């Protein structure tokens, strides 16, 4: 595709690289930005996307519909081997609890964010019997079809050496590949987009602030590589700053040492807080009507960002940075007394209310579950609108606490996307899928025993 002879702005070029970084080299992008590549975009992007030149935003001609064509597992959780082809529409995954339904969804979500929401260590993801094999190896591999062409995403786990594998707790190394090329985890996250709902999502309303921070961080990281880079840098700065604060107990002469860390922290924290504020406002706008439909209640859902630094609702990054530095100065004595940082993105939270009442404190389990589901479906909508790519929808045991009408509403929303996988332990629930395109598979002890 050859665009008109205008220069693509730097902002548009950055958007191109975030969207198509897997298949556009930095060299090609730099030529596009300089205007000496005849504005050529790789043919694998042609058709699904167009570039609007000048003051108009770069946008998709239509939302790209992503799906997983094939999923292969080796020694992942309870799966010794699996080769599963997946199609469009809704795939219903049936099976008794503990047989591997959730593990299937977890493997797909891992390809999206690079980390498991269920495992505290990497060794938990490796099948127990794989530790008896030398060399130890576990793998998730997925062939992805999207608007930018085919992608092969791969995550491998191995022991760092044959010697460490013999230890009671061997060290496990995780590596990433895209189309066979090694990648850093930061360059892997967000190439494939998926939204996962599980029963544990009720903790979004009742859990600690760290649960909600992780939720919004994962959402924004799928939309922006810059945000992920800022978050990683901010964490490193906080680690160094906390070491200094801890060593400062009983000392009074560390002002000069803290100041450079404060300036760096303010820069990255301001960008993180600005991105969080925007994302939560947009998520609130999308989750609110979904919650109203699912709950049937007149009381509206409200998501509000609560930063650790007081800033105006429409404050820009510069204003947030200035406010951060001023607040850091006022907290200096308290931070030196406790030995760690008391302000920063690591202290933010999200208020979740229905009808002005805190959901985590006053809502029933069913009400909290409906709120969490509305947030996940709102997340999927926001991802599609922000990236131009439909995420794959992963719903784990979503129907167990919903009545027939609400089950149907959830599935109809899931059916709007190119691909959705839904698990159930109750075969009778499959009747709700009547009239919807898709397929049904049955899982038993880490094996697919039936497909239809």
């Amino acid at each position: 595709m050859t665009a008109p002879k205008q220069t693509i702005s730097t902002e548009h070029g950055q958007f191109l690289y975030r969207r198509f970084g897997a298949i556009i080299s930095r060299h090609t992008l730099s030529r596009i930005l300089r205007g000496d590549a005849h504005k050529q975009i790789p043919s694998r992007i042609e058709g699904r996307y167009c570039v609007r030149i000048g003051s108009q935003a770069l946008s998709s001609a239509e939302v790209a519909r992503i799906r997983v064509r094939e999923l292969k597992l080796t020694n992942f959780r309870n799966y010794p081997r699996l080769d599963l082809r997946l199609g469009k529409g809704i795939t219903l995954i049936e099976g008794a609890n503990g047989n591997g339904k959730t593990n299937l969804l977890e493997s797909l979500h891992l390809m999206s964010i690079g980390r498991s929401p269920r495992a505290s260590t990497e060794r938990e993801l490796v099948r127990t019997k794989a530790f008896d094999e030398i060399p130890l190896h576990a793998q998730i591999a997925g062939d992805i079809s999207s608007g930018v062409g085919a992608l092969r995403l791969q995550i491998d786990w191995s022991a760092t050496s044959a010697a460490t594998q013999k230890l009671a707790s061997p060290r496990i190394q995780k590596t990433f590949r895209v189309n066979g090329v090694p990648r850093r985890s930061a360059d892997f996250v967000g190439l494939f987009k998926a939204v996962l709902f599980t029963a544990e999502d009720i903790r979004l309303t009742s859990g600690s602030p760290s649960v909600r921070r992780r939720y919004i961080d994962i959402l924004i990281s799928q939309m922006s590589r810059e945000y992920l880079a800022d978050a990683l840098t901010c964490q490193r700065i906080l680690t160094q700053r906390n070491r200094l604060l801890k060593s400062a107990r009983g000392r009074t002469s560390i002002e000069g040492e803290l100041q450079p860390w404060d300036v760096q922290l303010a820069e990255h924290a301001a960008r993180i807080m600005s991105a969080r504020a925007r994302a939560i406002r947009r998520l609130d706008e999308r989750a609110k009507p979904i919650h109203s439909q699912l709950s049937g209640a007149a009381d509206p859902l409200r998501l509000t960002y609560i930063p650790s630094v007081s800033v105006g609702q429409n404050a820009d990054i510069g204003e947030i940075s200035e406010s951060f530095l001023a607040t850091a100065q006022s907290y200096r004595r308290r931070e030196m007394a406790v030995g760690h940082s008391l302000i920063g993105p690591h202290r933010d939270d999200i208020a979740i209310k229905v009808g002005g009442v805190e959901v985590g404190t006053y809502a029933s389990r069913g009400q909290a579950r409906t709120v969490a589901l509305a947030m996940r479906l709102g997340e999927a909508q926001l991802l599609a609108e922000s990236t131009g790519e439909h995420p794959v929808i992963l719903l784990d045991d979503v129907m167990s606490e919903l009545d027939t009408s609400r089950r149907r509403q959830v599935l109809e929303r899931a059916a709007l996307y190119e691909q959705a996988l839904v698990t159930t332990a109750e075969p009778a629930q499959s009747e709700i899928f009547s009239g919807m395109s898709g397929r049904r598979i049955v899982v038993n002890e880490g094996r697919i025993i039936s497909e239809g």
Side-chain angles (χ1 to χ4, degrees):
M1 177 177 71
T2 303
K5 295 183 178 180
Q6 293 108 320
T7 301
I8 300 175
S9 72
T10 300
E11 178 185 357
H12 292 168
Q14 291 171 344
F15 186 97
L16 267 175
Y17 189 74
R18 287 198 303 273
R19 178 81 62 80
F20 308 123
I23 58 176
I24 296 183
S25 68
R26 290 184 182 275
H27 173 70
T28 300
L29 177 63
S30 67
R31 293 184 64 205
I32 292 172
L33 293 178
R34 289 198 309 268
D36 60 358
H38 306 292
K39 307 299 179 299
Q40 291 181 344
I41 309 298
S43 60
R44 281 169 287 180
I45 300 173
E46 189 174 358
R48 286 282 189 181
Y49 295 92
C50 67
V51 178
R52 296 182 180 180
I53 307 300
S55 62
Q56 300 181 61
L58 180 72
S59 63
S60 59
E62 59 178 287
V63 177
R65 295 181 175 272
I66 295 177
R67 67 184 175 95
V68 181
R69 289 184 177 274
E70 186 173 18
L71 174 67
K72 292 185 177 182
L73 302 180
T74 303
N75 287 328
F76 178 78
R77 292 286 193 182
N78 68 327
Y79 287 91
R81 295 285 187 277
L82 177 72
D83 188 345
L84 177 63
R85 294 185 179 275
L86 295 166
K88 298 179 181 180
I90 295 178
T91 297
L92 177 65
I93 305 172
E94 293 182 13
N97 291 330
N99 278 271
K101 303 186 304 299
T102 300
N103 295 342
L104 270 181
L105 300 195
E106 180 184 27
S107 69
L108 292 166
H109 198 236
L110 261 160
M111 288 196 298
S112 175
I113 67 171
R115 295 176 59 187
S116 168
R118 303 167 60 212
S120 56
T121 64
E122 296 299 333
R123 64 176 288 113
E124 294 176 35
L125 302 173
V126 179
R127 192 172 72 103
T128 303
K129 291 184 178 180
F131 288 92
D132 298 329
E133 302 172 4
I134 296 180
L136 179 150
H137 180 239
Q139 184 184 88
I140 298 171
D143 291 329
I144 314 297
S145 173
S146 73
V148 299
L151 284 177
R152 182 172 178 82
L153 303 180
Q154 182 177 319
I155 306 175
D156 291 275
W157 291 266
S158 59
T160 53
S161 70
T164 61
Q165 185 173 335
K166 297 177 182 179
L167 299 175
S169 298
R171 292 181 58 190
I172 302 298
Q173 180 181 37
K174 179 170 66 174
T175 57
F176 301 89
R177 289 179 179 269
V178 178
N179 293 337
V181 179
R183 289 290 186 96
R184 300 177 307 158
S185 61
D187 296 327
F188 187 89
V189 172
L191 292 177
F192 162 64
K193 295 168 182 64
V195 173
L196 171 65
F197 173 85
T198 74
E200 291 297 312
D201 279 347
I202 196 171
R203 296 178 62 230
L204 286 172
T205 63
S206 60
S208 68
S210 64
V211 175
R212 291 179 285 278
R213 287 194 297 269
R214 174 176 166 79
Y215 167 77
I216 199 64
D217 283 345
I218 289 173
L219 168 56
I220 304 175
S221 293
Q222 290 191 79
M223 299 189 292
S224 168
R225 291 187 183 183
E226 288 82 359
Y227 180 88
L228 179 58
D230 276 325
L232 293 172
T233 301
C234 194
Q235 185 57 52
R236 288 193 293 268
I237 294 171
L238 279 168
T239 298
Q240 295 297 326
R241 191 174 186 272
N242 287 341
R243 285 176 182 169
L244 183 57
L245 285 167
K246 188 174 182 179
S247 70
R249 291 180 178 178
R251 295 168 54 197
T252 59
S253 57
I254 66 161
E255 290 284 337
E257 296 175 72
L258 277 174
Q259 187 62 24
W261 293 114
D262 288 353
V263 172
Q264 291 183 58
L265 183 58
E267 175 189 350
H268 294 281
R271 289 202 289 264
I272 290 171
M273 295 165 75
S274 177
R276 284 178 176 177
R278 289 195 308 272
I280 292 169
R281 281 198 300 270
R282 297 178 68 194
L283 179 63
D284 173 70
E285 294 168 358
R286 287 150 185 81
K288 195 187 307 264
I290 296 173
H291 175 264
S292 178
Q293 181 188 32
L294 293 178
S295 68
D299 293 332
L301 169 66
R302 181 69 189 274
L303 307 177
T304 308
Y305 179 43
I306 306 177
S308 60
V309 174
S310 179
V311 294
Q313 184 176 2
N314 298 314
D316 61 26
I317 291 175
E319 292 169 332
I320 296 173
S321 181
E322 290 177 7
S323 179
F324 189 97
L325 286 171
T327 306
Q329 188 64 40
S330 68
Y331 271 72
R332 182 79 78 228
R333 290 186 180 276
R334 276 177 281 179
E335 289 186 328
M336 290 173 62
V338 298
H340 59 262
S341 302
L342 295 176
I343 64 166
H346 65 297
R347 307 284 288 191
D348 292 350
D349 199 357
I350 304 172
I352 305 175
K353 298 181 180 181
V354 172
V357 177
E358 288 280 356
V359 174
T361 304
Y362 298 103
S364 67
R365 177 179 173 83
Q367 290 170 326
R369 185 180 173 91
T370 300
V371 167
L373 181 55
M375 290 174 65
R376 287 300 187 189
L377 293 173
E379 172 188 347
Q381 184 178 335
L382 179 55
L383 276 174
E385 293 172 2
S386 300
T387 67
E389 299 172 344
H390 268 187
V392 171
I393 307 300
L394 309 170
L395 303 176
D396 187 32
D397 197 27
V398 70
M399 297 185 289
S400 62
E401 297 183 32
L402 299 176
D403 60 29
T404 302
S405 174
R406 288 179 175 82
R407 289 174 184 171
R408 188 73 184 183
Q409 290 173 10
V410 170
L411 294 177
E412 286 173 350
R413 281 195 171 271
L416 296 174
Y417 297 85
E418 180 77 353
Q419 190 176 56
L421 286 81
V422 183
T423 70
T424 180
E426 303 175 36
Q429 291 181 349
S430 61
E431 296 178 3
I432 199 71
F433 286 82
S434 60
M436 294 185 176
S437 63
R439 62 188 293 217
R440 169 181 170 271
I441 64 176
V442 179
V443 174
N444 183 57
E445 296 182 350
R447 294 179 299 115
I448 305 298
I449 62 171
S450 176
E451 299 185 47

